[in-house]
Amino acid sequence: VPGRFKDYISQPKTNGYRSIHTTVSGRDGKRVEVQIRTREMHEVAEAGVAAHWSYREGVRAANPFAVDPAKWIATLTERLDEGDTDEFLEHVKLEMYSDQVFCFTPKGDVVQLPRGATPLDFAYAIHTRIGNSCVSAKIDGIRVPLWTRLKNGQSIEIITAEGQRPQSSWIDIVTTGRAKAAIRRSLREEDRGRFVKLGQELARAAFDHVGKKASDKALRTAAKMLGLADENDLLARLGSAEMPARRVVEILYPELAQAVADEVDHKRPVIGLTADQTFRRANCCQPVPGERIVGITYRGQGVVVHAIDCPALEEFEDQTARWVDLRWEAGRHSPVFTVSLDTTISNDAGVLGRLCTLIGEQKANISDLRFTDRKPDFYRLIIDVDLRDVEHLHMVMTALEAETDVAQISRHRDLTRRP
């Protein structure tokens, strides 16, 4: 139909990868549906996305709209080695039976993705490194959110930044199994490093309680007795609260662990004070049993106990006469040590109630709660919790951090609250 196809070519409508179609009017007024597709589109429409990829009439010719079976199988094998088998099977089924969208890189290369895919899926389809460092994307030159659903024929540009790491919320954004597997792997590696470091501190505190040192050899021995791969695996479990540190001590030193199991007098939980010296915990750092501590003497106020890493100690560096070497009593302490937690939660019905329930399930008591910021979508508040020791603190923080509606949680230290 002369004069009609120019408008159609400039504003095409697509029907997946199978064809490009429109409806035009003939000279006699009748409307006719016209369908146009390239040879590659025709092959995919007639024989499937994996057909005619390798050879056409005996000559190798790649079809940009078809799937390379060898590459597809290679990605499946890679993901099978990395993730959960049930999850792997679920994503393979989704990819096999879902419609496809075809998008383009800025250089014009075709990237095939399942319908519903996002720019994050596109980034991971190009390379895992690009996906992990993705910060934003442009579709046809316009910046869009990462959760935008892609459409056929769009040109996608991925913007990356050094130091960017995958976020846990990305799991709910992406569609492809490749992207989900890469994000989970990165999150596991990041969390593992953090948990190992925290586990080292928890193990040190537990071993100090029985007068022992948490050496690499001791930890390797405990890991072997517990059926774990190595000491890092053991420390990661301690740091993630999957295993209490006292369990490790009980495995290696059962007699010593039994000897220190008695309840500590909460009125005198610190060793290193003279009989006439009184003490109190510093408000700025709120040290708890299991942490390294030091005392600072104040005239008429006794000794104030600080955590060894408290920034407030810098002002006493040239006053060594006021320093007192202290340590916590070994044994089980009463839950009387208040710690403030700086918490950011989503502004939704029932969220605060669930947080209070979680804290109670960890055998901790909320002694105070105050809001510091109120926004339409989130609240920020300080929760004062009474705890036994540093291990109890970690258990509470881990439980809260795992809650979906908790955006951020950290230990609140207020240097303005001096003795």
PDB file of all heavy atoms in Angstrom, residues 368-383:
ATOM      1  N   ASP A 368      14.194   1.055  76.958  1.00  0.00           N
ATOM      2  CA  ASP A 368      13.783   2.384  76.500  1.00  0.00           C
ATOM      3  C   ASP A 368      13.728   2.363  74.973  1.00  0.00           C
ATOM      4  O   ASP A 368      14.404   1.555  74.328  1.00  0.00           O
ATOM      5  CB  ASP A 368      14.761   3.459  76.977  1.00  0.00           C
ATOM      6  CG  ASP A 368      14.193   4.862  76.808  1.00  0.00           C
ATOM      7  OD1 ASP A 368      12.976   4.978  76.537  1.00  0.00           O
ATOM      8  OD2 ASP A 368      14.953   5.832  76.934  1.00  0.00           O
ATOM      9  N   LEU A 369      12.925   3.266  74.420  1.00  0.00           N
ATOM     10  CA  LEU A 369      12.781   3.360  72.970  1.00  0.00           C
ATOM     11  C   LEU A 369      12.414   4.791  72.636  1.00  0.00           C
ATOM     12  O   LEU A 369      11.462   5.346  73.206  1.00  0.00           O
ATOM     13  CB  LEU A 369      11.697   2.385  72.489  1.00  0.00           C
ATOM     14  CG  LEU A 369      11.485   2.206  70.993  1.00  0.00           C
ATOM     15  CD1 LEU A 369      10.960   0.799  70.699  1.00  0.00           C
ATOM     16  CD2 LEU A 369      10.484   3.237  70.457  1.00  0.00           C
ATOM     17  N   ARG A 370      13.148   5.409  71.734  1.00  0.00           N
ATOM     18  CA  ARG A 370      12.875   6.798  71.379  1.00  0.00           C
ATOM     19  C   ARG A 370      13.127   7.018  69.887  1.00  0.00           C
ATOM     20  O   ARG A 370      14.118   6.526  69.328  1.00  0.00           O
ATOM     21  CB  ARG A 370      13.747   7.756  72.209  1.00  0.00           C
ATOM     22  CG  ARG A 370      15.230   7.459  72.164  1.00  0.00           C
ATOM     23  CD  ARG A 370      15.974   8.157  73.291  1.00  0.00           C
ATOM     24  NE  ARG A 370      17.412   7.844  73.282  1.00  0.00           N
ATOM     25  CZ  ARG A 370      17.928   6.751  73.832  1.00  0.00           C
ATOM     26  NH1 ARG A 370      17.134   5.880  74.456  1.00  0.00           N
ATOM     27  NH2 ARG A 370      19.235   6.536  73.792  1.00  0.00           N
ATOM     28  N   PHE A 371      12.225   7.762  69.247  1.00  0.00           N
ATOM     29  CA  PHE A 371      12.333   8.059  67.825  1.00  0.00           C
ATOM     30  C   PHE A 371      13.220   9.278  67.620  1.00  0.00           C
ATOM     31  O   PHE A 371      13.095  10.281  68.329  1.00  0.00           O
ATOM     32  CB  PHE A 371      10.950   8.306  67.226  1.00  0.00           C
ATOM     33  CG  PHE A 371      10.108   7.065  67.120  1.00  0.00           C
ATOM     34  CD1 PHE A 371       9.321   6.645  68.182  1.00  0.00           C
ATOM     35  CD2 PHE A 371      10.117   6.309  65.955  1.00  0.00           C
ATOM     36  CE1 PHE A 371       8.541   5.502  68.084  1.00  0.00           C
ATOM     37  CE2 PHE A 371       9.347   5.153  65.856  1.00  0.00           C
ATOM     38  CZ  PHE A 371       8.568   4.752  66.922  1.00  0.00           C
ATOM     39  N   THR A 372      14.112   9.201  66.630  1.00  0.00           N
ATOM     40  CA  THR A 372      14.992  10.328  66.316  1.00  0.00           C
ATOM     41  C   THR A 372      14.661  10.964  64.979  1.00  0.00           C
ATOM     42  O   THR A 372      15.076  12.090  64.719  1.00  0.00           O
ATOM     43  CB  THR A 372      16.461   9.873  66.295  1.00  0.00           C
ATOM     44  OG1 THR A 372      16.637   8.847  65.298  1.00  0.00           O
ATOM     45  CG2 THR A 372      16.878   9.322  67.653  1.00  0.00           C
ATOM     46  N   ASP A 373      13.915  10.241  64.126  1.00  0.00           N
ATOM     47  CA  ASP A 373      13.551  10.793  62.811  1.00  0.00           C
ATOM     48  C   ASP A 373      12.304  10.079  62.300  1.00  0.00           C
ATOM     49  O   ASP A 373      12.204   8.853  62.412  1.00  0.00           O
ATOM     50  CB  ASP A 373      14.708  10.616  61.816  1.00  0.00           C
ATOM     51  CG  ASP A 373      14.561  11.518  60.602  1.00  0.00           C
ATOM     52  OD1 ASP A 373      13.618  12.338  60.580  1.00  0.00           O
ATOM     53  OD2 ASP A 373      15.395  11.411  59.674  1.00  0.00           O
ATOM     54  N   ARG A 374      11.380  10.845  61.758  1.00  0.00           N
ATOM     55  CA  ARG A 374      10.150  10.272  61.206  1.00  0.00           C
ATOM     56  C   ARG A 374       9.973  10.781  59.787  1.00  0.00           C
ATOM     57  O   ARG A 374       9.928  11.979  59.553  1.00  0.00           O
ATOM     58  CB  ARG A 374       8.926  10.662  62.045  1.00  0.00           C
ATOM     59  CG  ARG A 374       8.940  10.143  63.473  1.00  0.00           C
ATOM     60  CD  ARG A 374       7.769  10.719  64.251  1.00  0.00           C
ATOM     61  NE  ARG A 374       7.787  10.348  65.650  1.00  0.00           N
ATOM     62  CZ  ARG A 374       7.074   9.348  66.180  1.00  0.00           C
ATOM     63  NH1 ARG A 374       6.293   8.633  65.390  1.00  0.00           N
ATOM     64  NH2 ARG A 374       7.140   9.067  67.461  1.00  0.00           N
ATOM     65  N   LYS A 375       9.890   9.851  58.834  1.00  0.00           N
ATOM     66  CA  LYS A 375       9.680  10.181  57.434  1.00  0.00           C
ATOM     67  C   LYS A 375       8.463   9.408  56.929  1.00  0.00           C
ATOM     68  O   LYS A 375       8.014   8.445  57.565  1.00  0.00           O
ATOM     69  CB  LYS A 375      10.910   9.821  56.601  1.00  0.00           C
ATOM     70  CG  LYS A 375      12.183  10.564  57.005  1.00  0.00           C
ATOM     71  CD  LYS A 375      12.089  12.049  56.733  1.00  0.00           C
ATOM     72  CE  LYS A 375      13.402  12.750  57.087  1.00  0.00           C
ATOM     73  NZ  LYS A 375      13.324  14.211  56.890  1.00  0.00           N
ATOM     74  N   PRO A 376       7.916   9.811  55.767  1.00  0.00           N
ATOM     75  CA  PRO A 376       6.742   9.089  55.253  1.00  0.00           C
ATOM     76  C   PRO A 376       6.994   7.605  55.004  1.00  0.00           C
ATOM     77  O   PRO A 376       6.074   6.789  55.118  1.00  0.00           O
ATOM     78  CB  PRO A 376       6.433   9.824  53.941  1.00  0.00           C
ATOM     79  CG  PRO A 376       7.003  11.193  54.130  1.00  0.00           C
ATOM     80  CD  PRO A 376       8.227  11.010  54.967  1.00  0.00           C
ATOM     81  N   ASP A 377       8.254   7.243  54.650  1.00  0.00           N
ATOM     82  CA  ASP A 377       8.511   5.848  54.309  1.00  0.00           C
ATOM     83  C   ASP A 377       9.373   5.110  55.331  1.00  0.00           C
ATOM     84  O   ASP A 377       9.515   3.894  55.247  1.00  0.00           O
ATOM     85  CB  ASP A 377       9.181   5.757  52.932  1.00  0.00           C
ATOM     86  CG  ASP A 377      10.432   6.617  52.841  1.00  0.00           C
ATOM     87  OD1 ASP A 377      10.616   7.477  53.720  1.00  0.00           O
ATOM     88  OD2 ASP A 377      11.214   6.433  51.898  1.00  0.00           O
ATOM     89  N   PHE A 378       9.973   5.815  56.289  1.00  0.00           N
ATOM     90  CA  PHE A 378      10.774   5.103  57.283  1.00  0.00           C
ATOM     91  C   PHE A 378      10.816   5.866  58.599  1.00  0.00           C
ATOM     92  O   PHE A 378      10.572   7.076  58.661  1.00  0.00           O
ATOM     93  CB  PHE A 378      12.200   4.869  56.774  1.00  0.00           C
ATOM     94  CG  PHE A 378      13.064   6.114  56.738  1.00  0.00           C
ATOM     95  CD1 PHE A 378      13.783   6.524  57.859  1.00  0.00           C
ATOM     96  CD2 PHE A 378      13.156   6.879  55.594  1.00  0.00           C
ATOM     97  CE1 PHE A 378      14.577   7.651  57.835  1.00  0.00           C
ATOM     98  CE2 PHE A 378      13.946   8.026  55.562  1.00  0.00           C
ATOM     99  CZ  PHE A 378      14.648   8.404  56.684  1.00  0.00           C
ATOM    100  N   TYR A 379      11.145   5.111  59.655  1.00  0.00           N
ATOM    101  CA  TYR A 379      11.389   5.680  60.987  1.00  0.00           C
ATOM    102  C   TYR A 379      12.820   5.338  61.390  1.00  0.00           C
ATOM    103  O   TYR A 379      13.329   4.262  61.068  1.00  0.00           O
ATOM    104  CB  TYR A 379      10.446   5.072  62.032  1.00  0.00           C
ATOM    105  CG  TYR A 379       9.019   5.552  61.958  1.00  0.00           C
ATOM    106  CD1 TYR A 379       7.994   4.779  62.512  1.00  0.00           C
ATOM    107  CD2 TYR A 379       8.690   6.771  61.383  1.00  0.00           C
ATOM    108  CE1 TYR A 379       6.673   5.211  62.472  1.00  0.00           C
ATOM    109  CE2 TYR A 379       7.378   7.200  61.344  1.00  0.00           C
ATOM    110  CZ  TYR A 379       6.377   6.423  61.881  1.00  0.00           C
ATOM    111  OH  TYR A 379       5.080   6.847  61.832  1.00  0.00           O
ATOM    112  N   ARG A 380      13.423   6.247  62.138  1.00  0.00           N
ATOM    113  CA  ARG A 380      14.724   5.970  62.746  1.00  0.00           C
ATOM    114  C   ARG A 380      14.558   6.119  64.253  1.00  0.00           C
ATOM    115  O   ARG A 380      14.016   7.121  64.726  1.00  0.00           O
ATOM    116  CB  ARG A 380      15.795   6.929  62.242  1.00  0.00           C
ATOM    117  CG  ARG A 380      17.186   6.616  62.770  1.00  0.00           C
ATOM    118  CD  ARG A 380      18.225   7.534  62.181  1.00  0.00           C
ATOM    119  NE  ARG A 380      19.544   7.262  62.731  1.00  0.00           N
ATOM    120  CZ  ARG A 380      20.635   7.982  62.462  1.00  0.00           C
ATOM    121  NH1 ARG A 380      20.548   9.009  61.622  1.00  0.00           N
ATOM    122  NH2 ARG A 380      21.786   7.663  63.012  1.00  0.00           N
ATOM    123  N   LEU A 381      15.011   5.118  64.999  1.00  0.00           N
ATOM    124  CA  LEU A 381      14.809   5.132  66.437  1.00  0.00           C
ATOM    125  C   LEU A 381      15.997   4.509  67.159  1.00  0.00           C
ATOM    126  O   LEU A 381      16.771   3.749  66.573  1.00  0.00           O
ATOM    127  CB  LEU A 381      13.532   4.389  66.803  1.00  0.00           C
ATOM    128  CG  LEU A 381      13.437   2.901  66.445  1.00  0.00           C
ATOM    129  CD1 LEU A 381      12.421   2.220  67.361  1.00  0.00           C
ATOM    130  CD2 LEU A 381      12.992   2.698  65.007  1.00  0.00           C
ATOM    131  N   ILE A 382      16.130   4.840  68.433  1.00  0.00           N
ATOM    132  CA  ILE A 382      17.155   4.273  69.307  1.00  0.00           C
ATOM    133  C   ILE A 382      16.458   3.328  70.275  1.00  0.00           C
ATOM    134  O   ILE A 382      15.542   3.725  70.997  1.00  0.00           O
ATOM    135  CB  ILE A 382      17.913   5.364  70.093  1.00  0.00           C
ATOM    136  CG1 ILE A 382      18.517   6.398  69.137  1.00  0.00           C
ATOM    137  CG2 ILE A 382      18.993   4.735  70.958  1.00  0.00           C
ATOM    138  CD1 ILE A 382      19.555   5.842  68.196  1.00  0.00           C
ATOM    139  N   ILE A 383      16.899   2.066  70.283  1.00  0.00           N
ATOM    140  CA  ILE A 383      16.323   1.058  71.168  1.00  0.00           C
ATOM    141  C   ILE A 383      17.359   0.683  72.217  1.00  0.00           C
ATOM    142  O   ILE A 383      18.457   0.232  71.867  1.00  0.00           O
ATOM    143  CB  ILE A 383      15.893  -0.197  70.382  1.00  0.00           C
ATOM    144  CG1 ILE A 383      14.947   0.167  69.237  1.00  0.00           C
ATOM    145  CG2 ILE A 383      15.236  -1.206  71.313  1.00  0.00           C
ATOM    146  CD1 ILE A 383      14.563  -1.007  68.362  1.00  0.00           C
TER     147      ILE A 383
END
